[in-house]
């Protein structure tokens, strides 16, 4: 379900979103293909011990995505969804406001199949709903997805037409919950203001609203009543929250679901991701492209090159040190590597550098629901930034990701740590295992296995017992 807080530069976000059909709710249904272990070459995944899992473990075919979009916006948003959608594997539908125009036909096989949303005019009018009709359409999609896809479904995931999901991680995370219970999983807004305005107990729609089957069944039966009971609520995700709360179910917040209520350059955020699997990214249209040399569509596809091989490691932060040079390396796997010319502990680096702005630009501090580090011109606190360029599977045990320098830092070396400049480093290679990281509660560690003139090679590994990252 989508909810959005007005961006100061937009008179109302609702109008804008409606106009763009870029409302946050897209319900995507994952409907799984019948072939078991269907690993296509483009979805080579890090090995898991699937054979050791109980046969009834949740898999991709138990997830159904309900995405709500508009025909108008689909022209440019389709590439976001196609970046993660797996035709004939992921189950679900895209709900459009009107029939696709000729230029969208024949319907792309790489897109989710579409449906036209039910006509909600009567419900909208008779409930005297205070928001835009699109909000009622978003809410109503819970009924439609449940009607369209029910068999062997454990989880319904509602999203927008610009919600990017990481399906392998969703399967892993959801398999740890009991899908036979009433469970409502969502993500907070990253900016304080939207939580304050809407609710701290709400799953923000574009990040993905996840309902277990029993919850979705209950919600779809009652959601029209909820719309009538809360006509003053403008946002679809707020109505859903109230509806769910009135049945005694509370939000389970997950830090890997990202509404991305931020503006500008989010590289700081993605380089210090919370230590949980990345599940979604939203608001791609509102953010600067996450890879500055590419446009937004290309950026989404580019990130998926890493995601299709190793989702559990994606944007997971690993920190290691070159003690001879007093350098710190902070790797966000599949996205970036930072070099600091100083020894900085993990406890500090885990807070994102504040490269981004809050959703409501005029907000006054405190701005975010997480710790941040200020940007500065201090050569001892400013990283050299390298971004993901390519990935290669070396053999059945190793993967190499390559990161290249974005720009010169334009600062002198950090004198207090020995004046060792990293200006000459242009490329970083990170070797990682083809197996899932150990899930023992600790992050991975790394070693510097090579540090030449212009190239550094890091290798990820399990941390040793009592190993300090400082
Ligand atoms: C998912 O699990 C079900 C059993 O619950 C099984 O029938 C189905 O083949 C599995 N699908 C995949 C893709 O593993
Ligand atoms: C999906 O399945 C249909 C019918 O089984 C088939 O015609 C189509 O080629 C498949 N699409 C892809 C992208 O594999
Ligand atoms: C939707 O329903 C309303 C009220 O019944 C009707 O006036 C309108 O024409 C319908 N819209 C479409 C696109 O069918
Ligand atoms: C994989 O490649 C690496 C680096 O070339 C090598 O050290 C390792 O032994 C190889 N592993 C296998 C199983 O071939
Ligand atoms: C590393 O930095 C410390 C100060 O933090 C300094 O005393 C030491 O000499 C530096 N080591 C090298 C090799 O530059
Ligand atoms: C630090 O290194 C730069 C050149 O890399 C040099 O110009 C400067 O004098 C050095 N500073 C100190 C205190 O050694």
């Amino acid at each position: 379900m989508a909810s959005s807080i007005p961006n100061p530069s937009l008179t109302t976000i609702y109008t804008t979103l409606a106009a763009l059909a870029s409302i946050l709710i897209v319900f995507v249904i994952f409907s799984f293909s019948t072939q078991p272990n269907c690993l296509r070459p483009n979805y080579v995944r890090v090995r898991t011990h699937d054979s050791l899992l109980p046969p009834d473990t949740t898999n991709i075919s138990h997830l159904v995505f309900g995405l709500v979009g508009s025909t108008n916006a689909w022209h440019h948003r389709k590439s976001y969804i196609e970046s993660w959608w797996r035709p004939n594997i992921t189950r679900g539908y895209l709900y459009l406001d009107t029939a696709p125009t000729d230029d969208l036909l024949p319907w792309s096989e790489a897109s989710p199949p579409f449906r036209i949303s039910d006509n909600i005019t009567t419900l909208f009018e008779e409930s005297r709903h205070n928001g835009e009709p699109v909000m009622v359409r978003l809410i109503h999609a819970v009924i439609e997805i449940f009607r369209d896809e029910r068999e062997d479904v454990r989880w319904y995931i509602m999203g927008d037409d610009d919600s990017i999901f990481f399906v392998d991680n969703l399967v892993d995370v959801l398999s740890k919950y009991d899908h036979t219970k009433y469970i409502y999983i969502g993500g907070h807004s990253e900016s304080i203001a939207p939580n304050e305005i809407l609710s701290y107990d709400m799953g923000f729609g574009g990040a993905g609203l996840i309902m277990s089957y029993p919850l979705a069944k209950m919600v779809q039966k009652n959601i029209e009543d909820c719309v009538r009971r809360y006509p003053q609520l403008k946002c679809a995700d707020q109505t859903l929250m109230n509806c769910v709360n009135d049945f005694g179910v509370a939000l389970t917040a997950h830090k890997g679901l990202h509404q991305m209520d931020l503006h500008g350059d989010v590289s700081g955020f993605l380089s210090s991701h919370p230590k949980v699997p990345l599940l979604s990214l939203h608001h791609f249209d509102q953010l600067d492209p996450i890879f500055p040399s590419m446009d937004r569509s290309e950026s989404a596809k580019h990130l998926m090159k890493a995601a299709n091989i190793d989702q559990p490691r994606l944007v997971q932060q690993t920190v290691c040190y070159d003690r001879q040079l007093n350098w710190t390396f902070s790797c966000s796997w599949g996205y970036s590597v930072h070099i600091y010319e100083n020894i900085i502990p993990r406890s500090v680096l885990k807070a994102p550098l504040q490269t981004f702005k809050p959703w409501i630009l005029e907000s006054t501090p405190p701005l975010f629901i997480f710790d941040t580090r200020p940007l500065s011109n201090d050569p001892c606190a400013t990283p050299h930034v390298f971004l993901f360029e390519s990935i290669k599977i070396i053999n059945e045990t190793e993967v190499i990701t390559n990161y290249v320098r974005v720009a010169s830092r334009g600062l002198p070396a950090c004198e207090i740590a020995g004046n060792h400049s990293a200006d000459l480093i242009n490329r970083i290679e990170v070797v990682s295992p083809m197996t899932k990281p150990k899930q023992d509660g600790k992050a991975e560690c790394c070693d510097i296995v090579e540090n030449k003139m212009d190239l550094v090679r890091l290798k990820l590994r399990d941390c040793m017992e009592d190993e300090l990252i400082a």
Side-chain angles (χ1 to χ4, degrees):
M1 302 259 162
S3 105
S4 292
I5 295 295
N7 167 337
S9 65
L10 308 174
T11 44
T12 82
I13 195 154
Y14 310 113
T15 310
T16 306
L17 288 180
L20 293 175
S22 66
I23 296 300
L24 308 184
I25 296 188
V26 178
F27 287 119
V28 176
I29 298 183
F30 265 146
S31 147
F32 202 58
S33 81
T34 46
Q35 319 98 288
N37 292 326
C38 169
L39 289 185
R40 288 147 188 265
N42 41 339
Y43 312 129
V44 178
R45 293 193 281 141
V46 288
R47 268 196 310 281
T48 173
H49 302 288
D50 279 346
S51 53
L52 302 178
L53 295 173
D56 197 35
T57 304
T58 293
N59 63 46
I60 196 169
S61 60
H62 296 121
L63 274 50
V64 166
F65 290 77
L67 306 175
V68 183
S70 76
T71 298
N72 206 12
W74 187 246
H75 291 92
H76 75 283
R77 294 198 161 180
K78 140 187 200 225
S79 60
Y80 303 150
I81 303 301
E82 290 186 350
S83 75
W84 62 268
W85 185 261
R86 299 177 186 178
N88 290 351
I89 297 180
T90 39
R91 298 173 68 181
Y93 296 98
L94 169 72
Y95 292 92
L96 293 173
D97 51 348
T98 58
T101 42
D102 285 348
D103 54 336
L104 291 172
L105 297 172
W107 193 249
S108 164
E109 275 202 15
S111 290
F114 71 87
R115 292 275 190 273
I116 310 297
S117 295
D118 288 358
N119 184 346
I120 47 76
T121 308
T122 309
L123 176 62
F124 178 75
E125 284 171 359
E126 110 199 343
S127 66
R128 297 169 183 275
H129 193 269
N130 207 22
E132 296 288 331
V134 65
M135 288 298 165
V136 175
R137 185 162 76 86
L138 288 171
I139 298 164
H140 204 264
V142 180
I143 296 178
E144 295 159 45
I145 193 74
F146 191 84
R147 187 178 66 207
D148 290 339
E149 206 72 32
R150 253 197 320 258
E151 200 166 320
D152 288 330
V153 179
R154 295 186 180 181
W155 299 97
Y156 289 94
I157 300 161
M158 313 299 287
D160 285 353
D161 54 356
D162 63 341
S163 299
I164 294 178
F165 287 110
F166 298 88
V167 296
D168 297 333
N169 283 344
L170 278 168
V171 170
D172 278 0
V173 165
L174 293 177
S175 66
K176 298 192 171 74
Y177 291 92
D178 182 349
H179 61 276
T180 65
K181 298 193 168 146
Y182 294 93
I183 300 177
Y184 161 57
I185 302 173
H188 298 301
S189 172
E190 291 75 11
S191 292
I192 288 179
N195 295 296
E196 182 71 34
I197 295 166
L198 292 171
S199 174
Y200 291 95
D201 292 327
M202 186 177 102
F204 279 67
L209 294 174
I210 307 177
M211 288 176 278
S212 61
Y213 182 90
L215 180 66
K217 186 175 177 201
M218 185 170 72
V219 165
Q220 57 87 32
K221 202 166 98 195
N222 294 281
I223 195 88
E224 292 193 352
D225 280 345
C226 298
V227 172
R228 292 187 195 100
R229 194 155 73 246
Y230 296 107
Q232 76 280 12
L233 299 181
K234 288 194 167 102
C235 297
D237 36 14
Q238 217 182 1
T239 306
L240 185 79
M241 170 189 69
N242 281 37
C243 196
V244 165
N245 286 172
D246 286 349
F247 286 111
V249 177
L251 176 71
T252 300
H254 195 284
K255 283 185 171 180
L257 290 167
H258 299 298
Q259 171 78 359
M260 294 308 271
D261 275 350
L262 300 172
H263 278 114
D265 167 9
V266 295
S267 64
F269 184 71
L270 294 177
S271 297
S272 294
H273 189 264
K275 209 188 84 53
V276 292
L278 176 61
L279 300 182
S280 68
L281 289 175
H282 177 241
H283 273 156
F284 242 55
D285 276 351
Q286 317 283 325
L287 310 169
D288 292 353
I290 61 170
F291 295 103
S293 64
M294 301 176 186
D295 66 22
R296 296 183 171 94
S297 303
E298 288 164 350
S299 291
K301 273 194 219 129
H302 190 59
L303 187 65
M304 286 299 159
K305 289 179 197 159
N308 284 335
I309 291 176
D310 190 349
Q311 275 187 29
R313 272 191 191 80
L314 190 63
V315 304
Q316 299 304 298
Q317 191 179 19
T318 309
V319 175
C320 50
Y321 305 96
D322 184 325
R323 303 281 174 187
Q324 257 89 56
L325 291 170
N326 274 345
W327 286 357
T328 300
F329 292 85
S330 170
C331 171
S332 168
W333 192 91
Y335 181 65
S336 70
V337 177
H338 289 175
I339 304 180
Y340 296 86
E341 296 174 3
N342 197 5
I343 300 294
I344 307 180
R346 185 179 167 95
S347 62
V348 172
L349 296 176
K350 77 177 206 346
L353 275 171
Q354 200 192 312
T355 56
F356 42 83
K357 298 188 182 68
W359 185 245
I360 297 178
L361 295 167
E362 305 80 9
S363 305
T364 52
L367 300 176
F368 307 107
I369 63 164
F370 46 82
D371 300 344
T372 57
R373 281 179 291 152
L375 293 177
S376 74
N377 281 327
D378 177 355
C380 305
T382 304
H384 297 260
V385 178
F386 303 76
L387 288 179
F388 172 63
E389 185 203 47
S390 61
I391 183 163
K392 192 167 169 204
I393 298 174
I394 298 301
N395 55 31
E396 50 198 43
T397 56
E398 288 185 351
V399 177
I400 291 187
T401 40
N402 261 287
Y403 305 79
V404 294
R405 180 185 284 277
V406 174
S408 155
R409 197 174 64 143
L411 292 172
C414 169
E415 277 188 21
I416 53 155
N419 208 26
H420 304 293
S421 170
D423 282 348
L424 292 180
I425 305 295
N426 279 318
R427 195 158 66 85
I428 299 184
E429 275 185 15
V430 175
V431 182
S432 57
M434 252 325 249
T435 45
K436 280 191 181 177
K438 225 177 178 176
Q439 299 200 330
D440 61 355
K442 281 160 88 180
E444 285 192 303
C445 284
C446 52
D447 292 315
I448 291 126
V449 291
E450 204 171 324
N451 191 347
K452 293 198 290 203
M453 282 298 282
D454 61 343
L455 166 77
V456 177
R457 182 188 276 244
L458 308 180
K459 189 164 183 177
L460 307 194
R461 59 165 170 82
D462 292 338
C463 294
M464 291 173 288
E465 200 180 334
D466 293 346
E467 182 168 0
L468 266 189
I469 314 170

